[in-house]
Amino acid sequence: MATIKDVALLAGVAPSTISKYINGGKVRQENEEAIRKAIADLDYRADPFARGLKMGRNRSVGILLPDMTAPFYGNVVTTMSRLMREKDYHCLISSYGANHGLERDNLKFMLTCGIDGLVYAPEDLSAEEFKELTANCGIPIVLIDRIIQGVDIDAVLVDNADVVYKAVNQLLAKGHQRIAIITGPKSVYTAKERMVGYLRALSDAGILYDDALVISGDNDFATGYRSCDALRRLKNPPTAVFTTNYDITMGYITAARERGLHIPEDVDIFGFDSVETCSMMQPPLPVVQQPDTLIGKTAAQYLLDRLEGYAGDPRVTRLACKLSLEK
Amino acid sequence: MATIKDVALLAGVAPSTISKYINGGKVRQENEEAIRKAIADLDYRADPFARGLKMGRNRSVGILLPDMTAPFYGNVVTTMSRLMREKDYHCLISSYGANHGLERDNLKFMLTCGIDGLVYAPEDLSAEEFKELTANCGIPIVLIDRIIQGVDIDAVLVDNADVVYKAVNQLLAKGHQRIAIITGPKSVYTAKERMVGYLRALSDAGILYDDALVISGDNDFATGYRSCDALRRLKNPPTAVFTTNYDITMGYITAARERGLHIPEDVDIFGFDSVETCSMMQPPLPVVQQPDTLIGKTAAQYLLDRLEGYAGDPRVTRLACKLSLEK
DNA sequence: TTGAAAGCGTTACCAG
DNA sequence: CTGGTAACGCTTTCAA
């Protein structure tokens, strides 16, 4: 690997001149040509470590997620990457697959790999662990989707309880009295909040909460798929099901259709995420639409503000979700 | 941010002793305690840039993909991350969303962000561009899933043409004469290879190739979904459809079911990827099963070998796919 | 076992 | 505009 000295030697100028040229400074016409040629001839690239050491930053940020294959996170990442790119930052993604050890380990790595900032969707980290790991870490962190109780930093969330309350109310308004809910792991923040909305809606409608209609499992296709049979086996099966995650929704629908169930006649479904996909169905499946683009935009802005020196109090934004079939 | 000097000062030893301790060297018992305490008190973390500059590496590798939300790539990444982690490397992921400009830009960034190696699934980069960007870049690169014609480096692929040939033959054996294929963009390597297998199977069976039965589009849900109606509108619709990507498969199935079509009675389907999901269906959907775990494992091994100094000729491995319903 | 010193490749400063 | 020099924080060497 050629260094800046090699280039300087070949171009016949000083290293500091090369550096200036690289960083957009003005150099004499003839020098510019010589430098450009030398750089090309030697395939010179500035060493990122030397540069990072000198400059104290990298123009890169990390995004740490539980699951990068979920369309919701995919959209958030795409939006953030684009916006950060406009400010000349690159995004590096890491996911921990709902594994506590990995979550800790990846967070730790992210904090010591040289990125300038981090966007993090936590799953299973306590406030103590978080504080211990991030104390004096030197980079700004923005939480998305989930919050860590007791940690007071920038965060972008959605109003899980409210929107689920509304969604379940729509099912109630259609006359459903037995509404099941299939959620993610009980320990996860979003699952908890969504459960709260569900319970409040039932309670406000004077409906007794039935344990058998609540299924909690991993946020995946299999959970949704298996729930279909589990619910049908009940002596008194639900007439509607609220699925609180995209994969769960798809799994449930796949199973229901296979069993010849018509939606919504035989079983009504209210899903979550991936509006494009669900609105394509016939009839369109009503889903909770998280403002993924806005989440990405807000998180990117919060992070950029911090990167540019903003040092005010933490900002926590809770964005509204929409129901896909409402205008 | 505390530096190693601060720690040294507080612990009452020299910086070099701190460095030695951090890197697993032996220090006197009493010093060890003082150092540990000083590090904890100051929340000291070694500067990754200074360390990288000195050591010349990072213990991190990049993975550059067209789409990180695809289950196929998700599995590859998960496998690789685990294996690299065992050798004390971390994986940083970036995706470019089938956008040529982004692909170039992200590749360029990956090559100058300090990672020690790269695993890359190319989509739309010419051999010239690739060679120009990577010339003397100083890190080993392993191609996965797709190859760049004219670029001779380590690569891990699957036998697309062969397995598609077999899959289409299964459909032919069931008596289908009009078999449609829905593939990704015509320019993408895997799509081309899969097309070759399809054409060869038809040709070997003495069936004339019908343009109307070939649909090429983005590798997404919408392409599969829309194709259903497009194919049904034909005066002579296909009796079977081969979908060459997971999202396309799901889109097609969703549309078919909505329209009341029974699978496989009304229309037979042969899909791609995500065996777990497809084998869950009733009846199980036959799919081409790419050896994602083995791809990840092989790519990780190739990269690790290079990282450890292996300098032999490029190794190109073409792994066999399986048909999910064959034992 | 320890520590002083050199040096990794770059940028910033400032004198010329 | 140019270039010598110092400094970024760390690891390594080598002498004590």
Side-chain angles (χ1 to χ4, degrees), chain B residues 209-226:
Chain B
Y209 155 65
D210 181 351
D211 227 3
L213 298 185
V214 176
I215 297 183
S216 167
D218 288 336
N219 275 319
D220 60 16
F221 189 94
T223 297
Y225 191 94
R226 288 196 212 101

Side-chain angles (χ1 to χ4, degrees), chain A residues 1 43 45 48-49 52-53 58 69 85 90 93 105 109 112 114 133 135-136 221-222 225 258 277 280-282, chain B residues 1 43 45 48-49 52-53 58 69 85 90 93 105 109 112 114 133 135-136 221 225 258 277 280-282:
Chain A
M1 290 288 293
D43 274 321
R45 306 155 205 257
F49 299 117
L53 175 57
N58 210 329
T69 68
R85 200 67 209 86
H90 275 274
I93 292 104
D105 182 63
F109 171 70
T112 54
L133 287 171
N136 282 76
F221 189 94
Y225 191 94
E258 276 173 16
T277 300
M280 229 173 220
M281 301 182 186
Q282 290 297 340
Chain B
M1 288 288 295
D43 275 322
R45 305 155 205 256
F49 298 117
L53 176 57
N58 210 325
T69 67
R85 199 68 209 86
H90 275 274
I93 292 104
D105 182 63
F109 171 71
T112 53
L133 286 171
N136 282 77
F221 189 94
Y225 191 94
E258 278 174 16
T277 300
M280 230 173 220
M281 301 182 187
Q282 290 297 341

